[in-house]
């Protein structure tokens, strides 16, 4: 309700626009909210980054003492996720905007809830010593130290926090692939989001994509 009715996102073609959720995005949010461990394998351009940012912002705005960690391969990519949180916050109605405390490149803090969102690069020790409400790991299949980093951040949510791991595919045998194929036996709820979920994508669209990538090794 919060995102569908009050959030605005930025689209490269359409500019700033209301975040009108597609049905699969609503279902994914429900999964984030109801499950403790979620792993998502997705196609590109499904709005999942905006969805994760919106969910992180909602938690920080409305849950006292929440500590949300957002990890991506590099710091600039993690900061980009945090920027999406701030974009949604900035375009909320004034009456819905809580007071911001600390705000810098990597942190967005809300004083009224004693809560914060922190962006981190997915290094081997990222997240260690934290006590997190939610850890969101973006494009996990591309993290060079994914397994070591998992060992660092997983204990931060073992006391009851949530862990959300999201990625597009990046071959077989890597840590993310092992986690994906190991679900749900490993405790994670698997969610697959194919390219067909985005409105406007049909067989003709897929045929054009195949032609455009035909010469790619």
């Amino acid at each position: 309700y919060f995102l569908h009715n009050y959030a605005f996102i930025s689209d490269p073609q359409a500019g700033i626009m209301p975040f009108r959720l597609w049905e699969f995005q609503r279902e994914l949010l429900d999964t984030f909210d109801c499950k403790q461990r979620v792993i998502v394998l997705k196609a590109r351009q499904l709005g999942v980054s905006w969805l994760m940012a919106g969910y992180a912002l909602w938690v920080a705005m409305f849950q006292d003492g929440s500590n949300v960690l957002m990890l991506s391969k590099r710091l600039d990519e993690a900061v980009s996720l945090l920027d999406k949180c701030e974009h949604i916050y900035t375009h909320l109605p004034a009456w819905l905007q809580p007071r911001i405390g600390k705000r810098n490149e990597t942190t967005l803090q809300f004083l009224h809830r004693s809560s914060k969102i922190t962006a981190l690069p997915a290094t081997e020790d990222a997240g260690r010593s934290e006590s997190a409400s939610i850890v969101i790991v973006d494009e996990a299949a591309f993290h060079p130290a994914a397994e070591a980093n998992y060992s660092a951040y997983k204990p931060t949510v073992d006391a009851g926090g949530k862990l959300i791991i999201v990625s597009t595919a990046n071959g077989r045998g890597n840590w993310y692939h092992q986690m994906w194929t190991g679900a749900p036996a490993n405790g994670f709820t698997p969610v697959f989001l194919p390219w067909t979920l985005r409105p406007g994508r049909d067989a003709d669209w897929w045929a054009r994509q195949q032609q455009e990538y035909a010469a790619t090794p």
Side-chain angles (χ1 to χ4, degrees):
Y1 181 88
F2 168 71
L3 292 181
H4 189 78
N5 288 278
Y6 298 113
F8 283 77
I9 62 174
S10 180
D11 182 87
Q13 282 74 46
I16 297 174
M17 57 184 291
F19 197 176
R20 296 292 184 249
L21 300 181
W22 296 320
E23 184 59 31
F24 81 87
Q25 292 174 328
R26 291 175 179 269
E27 293 173 359
L28 185 58
L29 278 178
D30 286 342
T31 303
F32 287 168
D33 207 39
C34 295
K35 303 294 184 180
Q36 294 298 108
R37 305 286 184 267
V38 181
I39 186 165
V40 180
L41 174 60
K42 70 179 186 69
R44 295 184 179 182
Q45 302 300 314
L46 296 181
V48 175
S49 292
W50 280 105
L51 204 69
M52 292 188 298
Y55 184 63
L57 180 68
W58 176 78
V59 169
M61 284 179 54
F62 295 105
Q63 296 184 16
D64 291 338
S66 55
N67 181 25
V68 181
L69 305 182
M70 306 182 78
L71 283 70
S72 199
K73 179 180 177 181
R74 299 190 306 266
L75 179 60
D76 62 329
E77 294 169 332
V79 168
S80 178
L81 277 178
L82 185 63
D83 287 344
K84 286 180 169 64
C85 298
E86 186 172 20
H87 181 280
I88 294 173
Y89 167 84
T90 300
H91 291 85
L92 291 173
W95 60 267
L96 194 51
Q97 291 179 332
R99 181 183 174 189
I100 289 181
K102 183 179 182 181
R103 174 62 179 113
N104 56 34
E105 185 183 42
T106 61
T107 304
L108 179 61
Q109 180 187 52
F110 296 104
L111 294 177
H112 76 304
R113 295 291 187 189
S114 298
S115 64
K116 64 178 180 178
I117 308 170
T118 304
L120 297 169
T123 59
E124 291 188 7
D125 292 326
R128 191 180 299 278
S129 77
E130 293 277 354
S131 180
S133 309
I134 303 176
V135 175
I136 296 174
V137 186
D138 188 37
E139 291 295 5
F142 298 86
H143 295 188
E147 185 172 0
N149 189 208
Y150 179 72
S151 298
Y153 63 68
K154 183 183 181 299
T156 70
V157 295
D158 282 346
K162 293 180 181 291
L163 178 52
I164 299 169
I165 299 174
V166 178
S167 190
T168 50
N170 186 30
R172 296 175 177 271
N174 55 57
W175 174 84
Y176 172 80
H177 177 255
Q178 293 172 15
M179 293 293 291
W180 168 257
T181 56
N186 59 10
F188 280 81
T189 298
V191 179
F192 177 55
L193 303 177
W195 61 268
T196 52
L197 289 175
R198 184 181 176 97
R201 290 180 175 177
D202 53 19
D204 291 338
W205 178 89
W206 179 247
R208 289 195 302 272
Q209 298 303 306
Q210 289 180 309
Q211 291 174 351
E212 292 172 5
Y213 283 99
T216 303

